[in-house]
Amino acid sequence: MFDCVFSVENGITGNHRTEEEEEEEEEDRGEVFTVELMRGPHGLGLALVDGMKTPLRVSGIYVKSVVSDSPAGLSQRLRVGDRILAVNGVSLVGMDYHR
């Protein structure tokens, strides 16, 4: 059994990517996928951010960082800028970040 099941959409990025990474990101943009994670001894290894609190000012909950040796990092699916659409079947679309 998994602690968290995330529905994720490849999302926003900043200007710190190489041209090759930006091309790859363009190909992936809009892809919706599911990631199942079991909580490790130090949690999931995932930091989230309210998109309205970023310089891009977009609504939604986004991946701010992923710890490389954590359950999230070892999955090799989640990337900075990915939008979290749902957790354990509960939609986050339109939900306030603090909820």
Side-chain angles (χ1 to χ4, degrees):
M1 182 171 180
F2 292 92
D3 289 328
C4 290
V5 178
F6 295 93
S7 292
V8 181
E9 176 182 42
N10 290 127
I12 60 173
T13 61
N15 294 327
H16 62 280
R17 293 186 175 266
T18 66
E19 198 170 306
E20 182 178 298
E21 289 172 322
E22 286 178 9
E23 287 175 12
E24 182 179 308
E25 181 71 26
E26 276 299 315
E27 291 175 11
D28 290 342
R29 190 175 307 279
E31 174 193 6
V32 176
F33 58 94
T34 300
V35 178
E36 298 178 353
L37 301 174
M38 288 192 78
R39 194 174 315 273
H42 303 289
L44 297 172
L46 188 63
L48 303 177
V49 64
D50 180 349
M52 295 303 289
K53 303 287 185 188
T54 70
L56 297 172
R57 310 273 308 149
V58 292
S59 65
I61 309 300
Y62 293 86
V63 175
K64 179 178 180 180
S65 64
V66 178
V67 177
S68 59
D69 62 347
S70 69
L74 295 173
S75 77
Q76 298 185 349
R77 291 296 316 256
L78 295 169
R79 294 185 288 183
V80 171
D82 285 350
R83 182 178 183 189
I84 306 298
L85 301 175
V87 177
N88 293 338
V90 177
S91 176
L92 300 184
V93 177
M95 186 178 288
D96 178 77
Y97 177 79
H98 295 288
R99 288 176 111 202

